[in-house]
């Protein structure tokens, strides 16, 4: 079956964010079900794990709208409160890759222009969404301690399985703390050792949070299930390796100390585990992409029947400006997402060869983004399509055509190949230039339908080429902002794109925009927090 966790009842975990002085980490049950009843049996623990995972893909407990996890005073429209939609908007709309037409959508105005503040609903929404999932993880980790298992009489194989669940919850918590570190720098911090409702979280500095995430991932490595042996889409050892490779690639940004050798080490672990490339790039983001087991490392699983919400890959499929429903496999487009001309130009090949990754929809669209909020300015994308590789309808598509089945790759092997190449070019040891070139050319051979016409030679493999190749390979996969920051091109004048800084040709902005502000309402409720510099 495609998704394991959606088959498990989630009603036992109806939770909402509180608004007391403990702020973002103060989550209390809204019904009469307690931990003693939820975690009474091994099945109860699996239900708890289900909610931990489902927080990636759901916005509440009613499907679509009706019972949101994040209260309306933080983000008014539940449809905008999905983790991926919030994260994707901050990673993509702020860059050359994407713009959104509807400036009246709360929080959109100011993202492309790099003029956001500490009251922006999207900036605030991701912060609270990440902490919502962290709090679920903390609760599960606390309840699955050896002492609690013993108290509840859970032993043997059942206890061993729950210890694996606990390692998965620790991985998801580490991932969300990585998101907060990357996006906000110095967030508040709490673990399972901090009691809900009684502890005001202290702020952790970015370097210290880096060390915590690194230590957590290494501590759980041997507790996670081996690659290819877990239920889909649950985390395995490979997910921890992938996150470590990304952590180390960006270590100089986070701590001031490069760790490119470590990045190569964990890329090699994934290569040695027989991960590789799926043969067809255009099948990476379609309705049956869960079958791409060779390339997929860790996915957010979406299901058009069981994980209905207006974010996630539903947003990435419907949201494209002008893309017709017969192509997207939906009931139509929302006229929103568009590429800048600067990003489109990355796909211009002097040889005239065609890169199949350039999945642009151009009918009725202008290439130039002369107006930021005009839906016909900028090409659209057909990268996300709610159809199977045979062209059939999505297997779990709802009859109305609203919600999609496409799983989202938080980590896939295409990224790992490019991480290896960049880490080698930046001086990391444990790899070599010839292997880096081979990995990049494997990506490009796939991109050119199995032909070597797009392949490069050694002197063409530069850091600037890798950045452009990451754009071509990983676009619309919520990686671009982090990449541009690492290359010192996000806020500086080293690379300009349409509407960067709010001007049609782009301009540099203050370097404070390399991270986002701590939400103003969290600052007011938690005296331990200090705002990021410049906000």
């Amino acid at each position: 079956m495609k998704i394991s966790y959606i088959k498990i009842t989630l009603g036992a975990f109806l939770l909402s964010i509180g608004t007391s002085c403990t702020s973002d980490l103060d989550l209390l049950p809204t019904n009469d079900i307690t931990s003693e009843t939820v975690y009474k049996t091994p099945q109860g623990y699996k239900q708890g794990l289900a909610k931990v995972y489902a927080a990636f893909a759901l916005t509440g407990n009613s499907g679509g709208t009706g019972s949101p996890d994040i209260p309306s005073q933080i983000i008014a429209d539940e449809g905008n409160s999905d983790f991926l939609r919030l994260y994707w908007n901050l990673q993509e709309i702020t860059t050359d890759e994407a713009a959104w037409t509807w400036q009246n959508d709360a929080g959109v105005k100011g993202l492309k222009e790099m003029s956001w503040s500490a009251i922006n609903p999207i900036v605030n929404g991701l912060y609270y969404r990440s902490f919502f999932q962290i709090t679920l993880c903390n609760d599960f980790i606390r309840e699955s301690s050896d002492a609690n298992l013993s108290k509840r009489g859970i032993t043997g194989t059942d206890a061993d399985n729950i210890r694996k669940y606990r390692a998965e919850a620790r991985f998801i918590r580490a991932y969300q703390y990585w998101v907060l570190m990357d996006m906000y720098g110095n967030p508040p911090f709490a673990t399972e050792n901090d009691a809900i409702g009684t502890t005001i979280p202290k702020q952790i500095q970015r370097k210290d949070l880096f060390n915590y995430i690194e230590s957590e991932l290494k501590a759980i490595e041997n507790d996670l299930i081996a690659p290819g042996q877990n239920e889909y889409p649950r985390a395995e050892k490979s997910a921890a390796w992938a996150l470590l490779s990304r952590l180390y690639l960006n270590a100089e940004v986070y701590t001031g100390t490069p760790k490119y050798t470590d990045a190569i080490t964990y890329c090699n672990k994934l290569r040695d585990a027989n991960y590789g490339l799926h043969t067809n790039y255009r099948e990476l983001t379609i309705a049956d992409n869960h079958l791409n087991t060779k390339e997929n490392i860790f996915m957010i699983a979406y299901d058009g029947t069981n994980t209905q919400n207006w974010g996630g890959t539903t947003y990435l499929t419907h949201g494209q400006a002008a893309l017709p429903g017969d192509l997207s496999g939906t009931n139509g487009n929302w006229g929103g997402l568009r590429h800048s001309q600067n990003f489109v130009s990355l796909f211009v090949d002097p040889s005239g060869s065609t890169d199949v990754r350039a999945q642009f929809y151009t009918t009725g669209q202008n290439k130039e983004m002369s107006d930021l909020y005009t839906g016909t300015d900028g090409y659209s994308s057909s990268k996300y399509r709610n159809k199977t590789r045979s062209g059939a309808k999505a297997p779990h598509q709802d009859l109305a055509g609203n919600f999609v089945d496409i799983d989202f790759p938080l980590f896939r092997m295409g990224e790992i190949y490019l991480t290896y190449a960049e880490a080698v070019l930046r001086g990391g040891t444990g790899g070599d230039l010839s292997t880096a070139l081979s990995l990049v050319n494997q990506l490009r051979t796939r991109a050119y339908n199995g032909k070597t016409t797009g392949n490069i030679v050694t002197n063409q493999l530069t850091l600037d080429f890798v950045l452009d190749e990451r754009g071509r390979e990983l676009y619309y996969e919520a990686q671009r902002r982090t990449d541009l920051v690492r290359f010192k091109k996000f806020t500086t004048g080293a690379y300009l794109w349409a509407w960067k800084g709010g001007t049609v040709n782009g301009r540099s902005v203050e370097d404070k925009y390399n991270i986002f502000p701590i939400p103003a309402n969290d600052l007011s409720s938690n005296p331990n927090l200090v705002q990021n510099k410049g906000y």
Side-chain angles (χ1 to χ4, degrees):
M1 101 184 94
K2 180 180 179 183
I3 305 173
S4 58
Y5 60 71
I6 63 172
K7 300 298 183 183
I8 300 171
T9 301
L10 302 178
F13 288 85
L14 295 169
L15 295 166
S16 63
I17 287 184
T19 56
S20 72
C21 65
T22 51
S23 176
D24 46 280
L25 295 174
D26 182 19
L27 288 156
L28 297 172
T30 60
N31 55 27
D32 295 328
I33 300 176
T34 68
S35 60
E36 293 304 317
T37 56
V38 170
Y39 294 112
K40 188 177 180 179
T41 65
Q43 180 64 11
Y45 276 97
K46 197 163 188 182
Q47 289 176 343
L49 183 69
K51 180 60 179 180
V52 168
Y53 276 97
F56 272 130
L58 299 174
T59 57
N61 291 279
S62 295
T65 57
S67 181
D69 295 324
I70 311 299
S72 60
Q73 62 264 38
I74 294 171
I75 189 162
D77 184 350
E78 183 182 337
N80 292 328
S81 71
D82 162 84
F83 166 74
L84 181 57
R85 183 167 181 167
L86 292 164
Y87 181 55
W88 193 97
N89 282 342
L90 295 184
Q91 286 284 73
E92 299 286 11
I93 292 179
T94 59
T95 76
D96 57 338
E97 287 193 1
W100 179 251
T101 302
W102 310 113
Q103 59 181 304
N104 291 329
D105 280 4
V108 168
K109 185 76 171 177
L111 292 189
K112 196 74 172 179
E113 301 95 325
M114 292 189 176
S115 60
W116 55 76
S117 72
I119 60 172
N120 181 287
I122 296 175
V123 172
N124 292 359
L126 177 64
Y127 180 91
Y128 286 105
R129 170 56 68 181
S130 291
F131 276 123
F132 177 81
Q133 194 167 27
I134 286 170
T135 305
L136 294 176
C137 291
N138 283 343
D139 181 67
F140 185 87
I141 294 163
R142 183 184 304 113
E143 295 294 342
S144 58
S145 68
D146 285 351
N148 276 325
L149 294 180
S150 177
K151 181 179 70 174
R152 291 163 183 153
I154 299 175
T155 61
T157 301
D158 288 333
D160 290 341
N161 288 336
I162 292 169
R163 292 185 184 101
K164 292 181 174 64
Y165 302 165
R166 185 168 63 216
E168 293 174 45
R170 289 174 69 182
F171 166 78
I172 293 172
R173 180 177 63 182
Y175 172 79
Q176 285 292 6
Y177 270 128
W178 173 81
V179 169
L180 291 166
M181 178 183 65
D182 184 69
M183 308 294 274
Y184 303 93
N186 313 297
F189 178 75
T191 69
E192 73 276 13
N193 297 318
D194 299 288
I196 295 177
T198 61
T199 303
I200 301 176
K202 294 182 179 180
Q203 191 165 25
I204 189 169
Q205 296 303 299
R206 204 179 205 186
K207 184 175 182 179
D208 295 329
L209 186 52
F210 175 97
N211 292 335
Y212 169 80
I213 295 167
E214 178 187 33
S215 65
E216 274 289 279
L217 293 172
K218 288 185 174 181
I220 64 174
E221 181 177 349
N222 292 329
D223 296 326
L224 291 167
I225 293 175
Q229 301 302 308
N230 209 347
E231 293 178 288
Y232 183 86
R234 288 168 51 194
E236 302 170 335
K237 291 180 190 290
S238 50
W241 297 339
L243 181 51
L244 279 163
S245 73
R246 190 184 291 177
L247 183 76
Y248 289 133
L249 185 67
N250 293 282
E252 191 167 10
V253 173
Y254 303 145
T255 71
T257 302
K259 289 184 175 288
Y260 300 114
T261 295
D262 297 291
I264 292 169
T265 294
Y266 283 92
C267 290
N268 284 336
K269 282 180 177 284
L270 287 158
R271 293 175 59 227
D272 291 343
N274 294 318
Y275 283 96
L277 301 185
H278 181 66
T279 55
N280 188 329
Y281 183 86
R282 289 180 63 85
E283 293 178 355
L284 294 178
T285 46
I286 59 176
D288 54 356
N289 63 342
H290 63 288
L291 300 175
N292 303 340
T293 55
K294 187 174 180 63
E295 180 150 2
N296 295 344
I297 298 172
F298 187 62
M299 312 286 283
I300 300 178
Y302 291 99
D303 183 297
T305 302
N306 296 289
T307 60
Q308 295 183 352
N309 85 77
W310 298 106
T313 50
T314 288
Y315 169 61
L316 300 182
T317 308
H318 274 291
Q320 306 303 324
L323 189 67
D326 60 347
L327 181 58
S328 68
T330 69
N331 60 12
N333 70 76
W334 300 343
L337 292 172
R338 296 162 288 120
H339 294 296
S340 74
Q341 63 269 24
N342 312 85
F343 177 71
V344 172
S345 69
L346 294 181
F347 291 85
V348 175
D349 190 319
S351 71
S353 300
T354 300
D355 187 333
V356 301
R357 298 173 298 189
Q359 298 176 69
F360 302 130
Y361 186 79
T362 62
T363 303
Q365 299 296 112
N366 304 312
K367 181 180 179 181
E368 300 293 316
M369 193 175 286
S370 300
D371 187 278
L372 178 54
Y373 296 108
T374 294
T376 53
D377 277 8
Y379 290 164
S380 187
S381 174
S382 61
K383 181 168 180 173
Y384 292 87
R385 301 180 311 284
N386 196 36
K387 294 184 177 182
T388 67
R389 61 197 58 192
S390 68
K393 289 184 178 180
H396 301 102
Q397 185 176 20
D398 67 304
L399 294 178
N402 286 320
F403 305 105
V404 309
D405 275 6
I406 308 165
D407 296 348
F408 184 84
L410 287 178
F411 296 98
R412 64 177 177 86
M413 205 59 187
E415 174 192 352
I416 303 304
Y417 280 18
L418 290 165
T419 294
Y420 180 101
E422 183 179 338
V424 167
L425 289 171
R426 291 189 184 274
T429 60
D432 61 82
L433 191 60
S434 62
T435 302
L437 180 67
S438 172
L439 295 176
V440 170
N441 278 334
Q442 287 177 52
L443 291 170
R444 294 185 63 78
T445 298
R446 176 174 69 178
Y448 287 81
N449 279 325
K451 299 177 181 178
T452 60
T453 53
N455 285 14
I456 61 170
V457 295
T458 302
N459 64 2
Q460 293 174 296
L461 185 59
T462 64
L463 285 172
D464 282 342
F465 181 89
V466 169
L467 177 62
D468 289 348
E469 190 68 9
R470 287 182 71 93
R472 289 183 285 262
E473 177 69 23
L474 301 171
Y475 76 96
Y476 272 22
E477 295 182 32
Q479 303 246 19
R480 190 61 167 172
R481 175 198 147 274
T482 300
D483 288 346
L484 290 171
V485 169
R486 186 173 67 258
F487 277 81
K488 298 181 174 59
K489 293 186 176 183
F490 185 60
T491 58
T492 69
Y495 175 41
L496 301 178
W497 56 83
W499 300 105
K500 177 180 180 177
T503 65
V504 65
N505 294 317
R507 66 175 180 87
S508 63
V509 298
E510 295 175 73
D511 62 4
K512 72 176 187 180
Y513 291 109
N514 283 317
I515 57 174
F516 296 98
I518 305 296
N521 55 356
D522 211 24
L523 287 170
S524 64
S525 64
N526 185 344
N528 292 329
L529 301 181
V530 176
Q531 183 58 279
N532 290 326
K533 184 179 178 180
Y535 287 105

